[in-house]
Amino acid sequence: MSSALFAYRWANRPSVWFELAAPFVLALSGVLFVGPEVLWVLAAALAAASFPRGKPVKRGDLVRGWNAHILRSVSVAFGDVLSLLPQGRPVHMRLTDPFRFAVAGVLARRSALPLAVLLAMAVPVLRHVFPVVSSAWWAGLGAYLAVLPFAGGLAEVVRIAGLRRWVPATTRSLKLAAFAVLGVAAALWTAATALLGLPFVPLVVPLAAWAVVRTVTRPDLDYGAGTAVDVGGLYTPVGLVAQLLRGPDLLLLGVLVLSYFHSS
């Protein structure tokens, strides 16, 4: 019920993200093994609060939503996953150095915070559901997925030449600044999962942060690179597959190594 109501509220795009906090409270109560009577009371209160309030939708919101829908459709059709990263919101901050630029990029995508919180509560539960899977896999994949949306600012600057010329910093300094800021975000997410019962794997923090940086700074896709191979019934260029795996390859290899040294 919590997941269904969360999806409903997320589809309605509330004006403020903390309107989604109620499903998190219900899910967290279930994780902490609260009594069934408390869960039913929370579920009833959440269901009553989730009904639409009849607020009119502004034309600008409709246009932005339609543009985002078209962008997602085209991105999925061409396999360009990075275009699905959330768009940034205005942030009142002077971008005088790469570090401030990285912080502004994270704050501008604060709408992705509910997803990170939801993953922080879901991953410890999944570990108990699948106990044979090493904790390093859950921690690494969860931290990567939770931090990836916050790297949209770096992705836009690297991929769009017009924006890149307005940032007075080298690409290397931008990557290092983003790695430091995203590392802090990954550390906070990992610490939250540790409080909920997931074993803490320290090396997952820099691994996930650098894998995200590697993912969002890859070059533009080349759809004619190399010989085509059959991938799930579709003929896909080998070079395109290699480009799509840039970033996740580092994460999977690193987590595979960590899983040998960290027991479940």
Side-chain angles (χ1 to χ4, degrees), residues 20-67:
L20 300 171
F24 292 147
V25 173
L26 181 61
L28 184 59
S29 301
V31 171
L32 298 178
F33 304 104
V34 176
E37 297 82 5
V38 179
L39 288 179
W40 279 112
V41 172
L42 290 175
L46 177 58
S50 298
F51 284 103
R53 291 174 293 179
K55 295 175 62 176
V57 181
K58 297 181 181 180
R59 181 178 181 276
D61 296 334
L62 293 175
V63 172
R64 282 192 297 270
W66 175 253
N67 292 337

Side-chain angles (χ1 to χ4, degrees), residues 227-248:
T227 306
V229 294
D230 186 5
V231 180
L234 298 176
Y235 284 96
T236 308
V238 178
L240 177 60
V241 176
Q243 294 173 76
L244 293 176
L245 292 179
R246 188 178 187 271

Side-chain angles (χ1 to χ4, degrees), residues 52-89:
R53 291 174 293 179
K55 295 175 62 176
V57 181
K58 297 181 181 180
R59 181 178 181 276
D61 296 334
L62 293 175
V63 172
R64 282 192 297 270
W66 175 253
N67 292 337
H69 170 71
I70 296 298
L71 177 61
R72 288 193 296 267
S73 301
V74 176
S75 300
V76 171
F78 285 91
D80 190 5
V81 184
L82 293 182
S83 298
L84 301 178
L85 296 178
Q87 299 293 322
R89 297 180 179 179

Side-chain angles (χ1 to χ4, degrees), residues 81-105:
V81 184
L82 293 182
S83 298
L84 301 178
L85 296 178
Q87 299 293 322
R89 297 180 179 179
V91 176
H92 300 288
M93 180 181 295
R94 295 184 60 185
L95 307 181
T96 56
D97 55 76
F99 181 77
R100 293 174 66 89
F101 173 80
V103 173

Side-chain angles (χ1 to χ4, degrees), residues 98-177:
F99 181 77
R100 293 174 66 89
F101 173 80
V103 173
V106 172
L107 296 178
R109 284 152 184 86
R110 54 192 178 273
S111 60
L113 186 60
L115 174 62
V117 177
L118 182 64
L119 287 173
M121 293 188 300
V123 167
V125 177
L126 291 175
R127 175 184 173 270
H128 291 287
V129 175
F130 303 98
V132 296
V133 181
S134 174
S135 301
W137 286 101
W138 295 118
L141 295 176
Y144 177 83
L145 295 176
V147 174
L148 181 61
F150 296 101
L154 180 62
E156 290 182 354
V157 168
V158 172
R159 291 158 56 88
I160 303 175
L163 295 178
R164 181 66 186 86
R165 288 191 291 266
W166 284 95
V167 181
T170 63
T171 302
R172 179 183 178 86
S173 62
L174 289 176
K175 290 182 179 180
L176 293 177

